[in-house]
Amino acid sequence: MKGGRGAVAAALGIAGIVLVGCGVQPSGVVGAGEPASGLTRGMRLYFASDSGLRGVPLLDREVKDLNAVVKLLAVGPPPAEQRDGLTSLVQLGGYTVTGTGTRVTMRLEGPYAMSGRDQGTGQLVCTLARAQSVLDPKTRADDVQVTMRPKEGAALGPYRCAEFLSR
């Protein structure tokens, strides 16, 4: 028993020398701040896929207004993203989109064909929330609420992008 204790003590002593010899210094807990949360910055268009919505960075265009972003969304994803299974479910007639701070309103000239809880609506909500945060840098994309107002019928929303990403 005494020989076993001696061997363990010798092994621990050698391990301690090896760790000190390798430059490993003892440390405590290192604070790194809060973890990342919310949506990232930069413009993205959101497209539908079998696994839910996916954001695609819009690298080659500057966002100037919300109406132009909806037009880009309706065109559909670039060819590489189409090969990855992304598509656009957005089909709209006439519309006008306005935004102030955390509020975005899309006024439609006709009825809205989607249910309001589908990927097509999610594409619009997430893309418009992201665009509003790019146009107004003081606004966080995950704070933006989007309301759809068809010419006839009740308004849909307000919706937040997170409602469509957590499915």
Side-chain angles (χ1 to χ4, degrees):
M1 192 91 152
K2 285 184 181 181
R5 286 185 191 161
V8 170
L12 289 174
I14 291 171
I17 291 169
V18 169
L19 286 175
V20 170
C22 292
V24 176
Q25 300 295 321
S27 67
V29 175
V30 177
E34 293 294 315
S37 66
L39 301 174
T40 58
R41 297 301 291 174
M43 188 57 220
R44 289 179 175 265
L45 299 176
Y46 285 82
F47 294 104
S49 75
D50 290 340
S51 60
L53 294 179
R54 283 197 4 221
V56 175
L58 185 61
L59 303 173
D60 60 345
R61 298 212 172 121
E62 183 181 342
V63 175
K64 295 189 179 192
D65 70 61
L66 297 172
N67 291 294
V69 171
V70 175
K71 286 180 187 173
L72 290 172
L73 187 61
V75 167
E81 280 75 16
Q82 287 177 11
R83 287 189 293 276
D84 284 346
L86 297 183
T87 189
S88 181
L89 301 175
V90 174
Q91 297 177 357
L92 299 170
Y95 59 86
T96 336
V97 187
T98 56
T100 304
T102 61
R103 303 280 183 187
V104 171
T105 302
M106 179 175 222
R107 296 187 189 288
L108 304 167
E109 293 178 7
Y112 186 64
M114 306 284 194
S115 70
R117 293 292 180 186
D118 53 86
Q119 282 194 60
T121 302
Q123 282 184 257
L124 287 165
V125 169
C126 290
T127 299
L128 288 169
R130 177 58 64 110
Q132 181 65 13
S133 75
V134 169
L135 292 168
D136 181 359
K138 296 178 295 227
T139 301
R140 293 176 356 125
D142 45 355
D143 291 338
V144 175
Q145 296 181 21
V146 178
T147 302
M148 320 282 279
R149 295 198 178 278
K151 187 168 188 148
E152 300 166 9
L156 299 167
Y159 300 119
R160 290 179 192 251
C161 181
E163 297 174 50
F164 297 92
L165 294 180
S166 60
R167 295 177 170 211

